[in-house]
Amino acid sequence: MNMRCQFNRLIWMVSLSAVLLSGCASTRSATDGAMGESTGNAPKVTDVSFKDTENKTVVTIATEGIPSYASYRLDNPPRLVVDLQGVASGSVQKPVQVNQGVVTNIVPSAPKPDKTRLEIGLSQQVDFNVVKKGNSLVVEVDKPVLSTEAPASASAQAMKETDQVQAVISAAEGSGNNKKAVVESMASASVVTDVKVETGIAGTRVVIKGNGHINAEAILLENEQLVVDVQEVKNAVFPNSFATDDPLIKRIRIGQFAEPVKKVRVAFELRTNVAYQLTKDGDKVVLALQKEAPASTGEADKSADVVKSGEPGKSVEESGQTEGGYSGRRISLDFQEADLKSVLRLIAEVSNLNLILAPDVKGTVSVKMLNVPWDQALDLILKINGLGQVRDGNILRVMTMAALTKEEQDTITRKEAQKKVEDTVSKIISINYAKAKDLADSLKKSLSSRGEITVEDRTNTLIVKDVPSNVQDIVTLIKILDKQTPQVMIEARIVEASTDFSRELGVQWGANYAGANRDRAWQVGVAGTKKDNDPDTDVDVMTGIGPMGSAFAVNLPAAVKQGAGGALGIGFSKLTGDLVDIDLNLSALESAGKGKIISSPKVMALDNKEATIKQGSSIPYATVSASGTSTTWVDAALELNVTPHVTPDNSVIMKIKASKNAPGTTTAAGPIINKKEAQTEILIRDGETVVIGGIYEVNKSDSEDGVPLLSKIPVLGWLFKKQSVVDTKRELLIFLTPKIVNPSN
């Protein structure tokens, strides 16, 4: 009995132990399954090793699967960072001391359970390259180049002086896998076989071809020389220097370098500044060039960030206007089917912005951009993916355009709804310079549906009633609009100048002959008339040969008179025997004169208001009609009519009419009105003087009166003619000077 009880007790204890063990096993299995979902199924880093070669230090990161990765370079202190996406740290947990070349150590960390970060410490900044070989990543860190080795040191020095971030992102999924497999299976090139230039409408393409997969990079050196370095190859292109007719490339030179790295350098002598991008495609690389537009930011190349794709392949070209207000640090991007979120996170790191992505932001992006501002690159990437951004301080939110539009509409709706329930306030605003009624018409557009404006004309005041935010907006607008109206003093000068010159030369002469018997009333001569000498008669006898009623045979005197000109008379007479009388008069007149009249009307005018000033007289004209005689008055006056407008930069636009009308010679109908007038519209700076019009008139005449035929006889012809010369000049100039009394600003 006791033995049976003991046996039953033993069976019960064994059964209980089995149940407990089964429960523990189930619990452990469930726990292991949960861990497998987070990290157990993810590939792990199995090993990190390094080796030192003559030209570089090689760090090999071995994993269990094909990794997606990002790599970039940081300063202070200098280091390379390799992020493995979806890869657990595995057995690599502790820092590794290297001290080979410029590599000092390798420090692993795990920011997330499915993300491993390896920081490769550097003693100085150098170039690096990341290559994927199977399930491993190979990080090749160049050794520093001595300054005595010119071709390579120029590139190294240019890279040293730039504060660059190199980032590499590759995606291991999608249609790119087939091409990657082809590239990986292709043998590396050993020879550059061809360099060809293709000129097109969109730009220039330079195709560099080899006998296998080409590893190349484009470098802009310190002297602005563009080169393409093809690594680990020899040159088989002949000739190695040739000129081109391309509008962007003047000459191409191909050089072979053996130390410190075997490579072929293709150098381009450019005709102008260009934007460039390098595309790798199997056994060839294509360098695309376009004429570069002026950039809005400083020295672009010296602050460039460089971002390279982890896998070569085709890229989608994106172009943007670098002058459109972009001011971010310049970067270069080369992505093929990379995860959009990873690209945006990378740009956020470069820009030092906090990034928030909406849940519906997803997709991949393939892009290659060289030397563009990061904000322009961000803008382009968002546009091609139908996304928008909202910047709030140093926080960047990215969402779809539909979500962004809805958010903006919701904000507007919320503000409108708030205005409908918000209490209204009233404010009395006095208007200083403008008319309150005129301002009210412009301000009503700023009111809400509950707002109103009342005009008090007597005090030139506005009473505004609306929600507080709208009232404040209206007050701000009134301060801008209600300003003192500018006034302008306009001074005109009307200058009239004249020069007169005239000259006349004339002659008079005649002769008489009488016989010895002087008492006889006859005589022969060319003197015209002769008075009878017989005292017993009162009759004059016309016995001479000459013009009737004239004392001279030739009577062409100058217009001499008292106070003007002069005459010289010569007479000859024979007093014995027959009487002979000869009379000769020479007359001359010359006059010269200069005159200047300056009229200077001034008028003050308000901005955009017409002003007029006038001085002169009104002349009556009598008009006779069937209803009787009526009088018409015509103004003969100096007048200035002007409408000024003051511009924001203190210039003055003026509509001007300046005139000076004066009475002239009198006719049977009345005096003539001599008009001098200019009408125009001009723009002139404050205080400057401009000539708005001028008239220059010249009147010359040269006349001659004489006896036909006889006046043409040389020398003696002067006894039979009269000469007159007239030279008159008239000049009119109108000057204008505006002066702003109280500028609007």
Side-chain angles (χ1 to χ4, degrees), residues 243-309:
T244 74
D245 296 329
D246 186 80
L248 301 181
I249 302 174
K250 183 177 181 181
R251 175 174 289 275
I252 296 178
R253 295 180 175 86
I254 307 170
Q256 178 73 58
F257 293 89
E259 295 293 340
V261 178
K262 183 174 71 173
K263 65 183 177 182
V264 170
R265 169 165 290 182
V266 184
F268 300 91
E269 184 178 343
L270 303 175
R271 301 181 189 271
T272 183
N273 293 334
V274 298
Y276 64 91
Q277 75 171 23
L278 187 69
T279 303
K280 305 172 186 179
D281 189 6
D283 63 346
K284 64 178 179 290
V285 292
V286 179
L287 180 68
L289 303 175
Q290 285 185 336
K291 188 173 182 180
E292 184 181 39
S296 61
T297 54
E299 299 181 5
D301 297 319
K302 292 189 177 180
S303 61
D305 295 331
V306 179
V307 180
K308 299 179 180 178
S309 170

Side-chain angles (χ1 to χ4, degrees), residues 199-213:
T199 302
I201 298 176
T204 301
R205 297 172 74 248
V206 180
V207 180
I208 304 173
K209 191 171 183 181
N211 62 349
H213 172 61

Side-chain angles (χ1 to χ4, degrees), residues 685-699:
R685 296 285 298 177
D686 176 31
E688 292 183 352
T689 300
V690 65
V691 179
I692 66 169
I695 299 174
Y696 185 68
E697 181 181 359
V698 178
N699 183 15

